[in-house]
Amino acid sequence: MDGRPLYLEPRLGPRLRSLLAATGTLHTLTDALGSPLHVVVPDQIAENLAGFRSVYRRHHLSGQVFYAHKANRSSALLRRLAATDAGVDVASLGELQHALGAGLTADRITATGPKNPEFLWLAARTGVTVSVDATAELEQLAALVRRYALAPVRVLLRLSGFETPGVRVLSRRSRFGTPVRESETLLKAVERHGDAVDLTGVAYHLDTTSVAEKATAVEGCLAVLEACRSRGLRPRAVDVGGGFGVSYLAEREQWEAYTTELTSAVLGRRPPLTWGGHGYGLREESGTLRGALGLYPAHRSVAGASYLDELLSRPAASLGGRPLAALLLEHLYDLHTEPGRALLDQCGLTLARVLEVRTQETGGELLVRLAAKADDIALEDHGVLMDPVVLPRGGAGPGGGPVAVHLFGSLCLESDLITRRTVFLPRRPEPGDLLAFANTAGYAMDFHATRAQHQPAARKVAAWQDGDTWRWCLDDQFWPITPSGGAQ
Ligand SMILES: Cc1ncc(COP(=O)(O)O)c(C=O)c1O
């Protein structure tokens, strides 16, 4: 191996650390249920929820934490949440049915995202709150309510295109939500359909890590709530969506060293660090670096509940510089959040069996083929770079020091790369070993899963600690009352 290894070691909380130490159990599970295999840890989601709740308490705010279901299809995680006081944000008919079936009542569910008529009807029929994307959707909903003689439906108005008091638009363009400058039309529609909808608040979801952009959006929402009140409407909540993020890596230094070396490799100043010279968005043009790094910031000093804390503590530039939380509290507005990835932090891992380890005749990296497809371990689809943990089949074994490898999937497709980068492992993996990809519960388990080439999508199990022992069941067999299975 040329040069020193550039590790990107996963950040492991106590639960995942303990689960990874149960090597025998993890091997037995994959022997029985196949590779790849997803393992979810329902108790962790309840702990993450408590972290969000404590930020609410610190700022004296009331409101609901709605888990963004789209990030993982797991029944176990959803049912574990049903045993808490959390809500769920559903983005499809199937997710709504799943949430109702898991025991979440309509008052704990919001329907967001693009909606087909069946989804809208079931939402209206069961009385969940609908986050309305546009005037046309509001009209459609009102028509359903009248046609089927349903009770008025609670609605939030999803807004986008927020601006600072100057002209510069600070929040990025979104194809979802109604631009704030068109909110007047939406409010007129709410008034027109007052018999069919009950306006409870306004909402946004911005796909950005920028706290400044989100603070601008909260200020924009507060201004629209004021406009509502001056028209005699009585909304009482701001829903700030999701996007609180996760810090995936254990060490900031490793992340910084990796991105620095990647840049050097793209500029040709060191040997390539990726398969086929891929630059993750960066490229070299006449000796100059161009493009932008298209990666998730895998080490973040502020993420999850702390990110919410930072947002709420931020002074509102257009509203006298007072913290956003103080402004929400002063108006007695509820704060709703829709964390997906952040609630799933440390909630699972994905196991893949090593099938083949090939040495290249020309030397260089080992070619490691796994019993998994790239879409089963979709960390790279989300721009997350993180090393797997090697779980040797027969105990620790000889190892022989660090190696550089390329990780391939099991499809006969050049592009089926588990990761495009060269991965450094502390020891040479052998056929039969498992690679454990930590922290895959948020979007990396089933969001992209396919059955290409008749290869099965990964199965999923739920695992929990019973004293010193890890117990498990199939994901859809898990209920909070499963013997020792979670909620007390
Ligand atoms: C409306 C809405 N809310 C919440 C989320 C969850 O975002 P995250 O998983 O980044 O918290 C999403 C993600 O796409 C979304 O579209």
Side-chain angles (χ1 to χ4, degrees), residues 68 70-71 89 112-113 158 205 207 241-245 338-342 443:
K70 60 182 68 111
D89 148 25
T112 63
R158 179 163 170 182
H205 168 77
D207 189 13
F244 304 98
E338 298 167 3
R341 189 189 297 269
Y443 298 102

Side-chain angles (χ1 to χ4, degrees), residues 52 66-71 89-91 110-114 131 133 158 176 203-208 214 239-246 296 300 337-344 382 442-443 447:
F52 272 84
F66 294 94
Y67 161 56
H69 186 4
K70 60 182 68 111
D89 148 25
V90 294
T110 49
T112 63
S131 186
D133 219 43
R158 179 163 170 182
F176 301 111
Y204 73 82
H205 168 77
L206 292 180
D207 189 13
T208 173
K214 289 187 180 164
D239 183 332
V240 301
F244 304 98
V246 161
Y296 190 86
R300 297 178 60 167
T337 49
E338 298 167 3
R341 189 189 297 269
L343 269 191
L344 292 171
H382 287 264
Y443 298 102
F447 200 88

Side-chain angles (χ1 to χ4, degrees), residues 5 33 267 303 308 323 358:
L33 298 168
L267 286 170
L308 176 64
R358 204 191 297 178

Side-chain angles (χ1 to χ4, degrees), residues 191-206:
E191 287 165 342
R192 221 170 30 250
H193 298 294
D195 60 317
V197 298
D198 169 19
L199 178 65
T200 61
V202 296
Y204 73 82
H205 168 77
L206 292 180

Side-chain angles (χ1 to χ4, degrees), residues 20 26-27 29-31 33-39 349-357 368-379 388-393 407-410 418 425 429-438 440 455 458-459:
L20 284 168
L26 298 179
H27 273 279
L29 274 174
T30 30
D31 286 348
L33 298 168
S35 165
L37 182 71
H38 301 308
V39 185
L349 50 83
T350 300
L351 302 168
R353 172 95 55 220
V354 175
L355 289 178
E356 179 189 3
V357 181
V368 175
R369 185 160 56 89
L370 301 180
K373 304 183 265 30
D375 58 44
D376 292 311
I377 308 163
L379 290 165
V389 177
V390 185
L391 303 178
R393 177 139 194 109
L407 298 177
F408 300 111
S410 54
I418 303 290
L425 298 174
E430 298 297 339
D433 288 352
L434 288 175
L435 295 193
F437 295 83
T440 48
Q455 298 205 21
R459 295 214 225 182

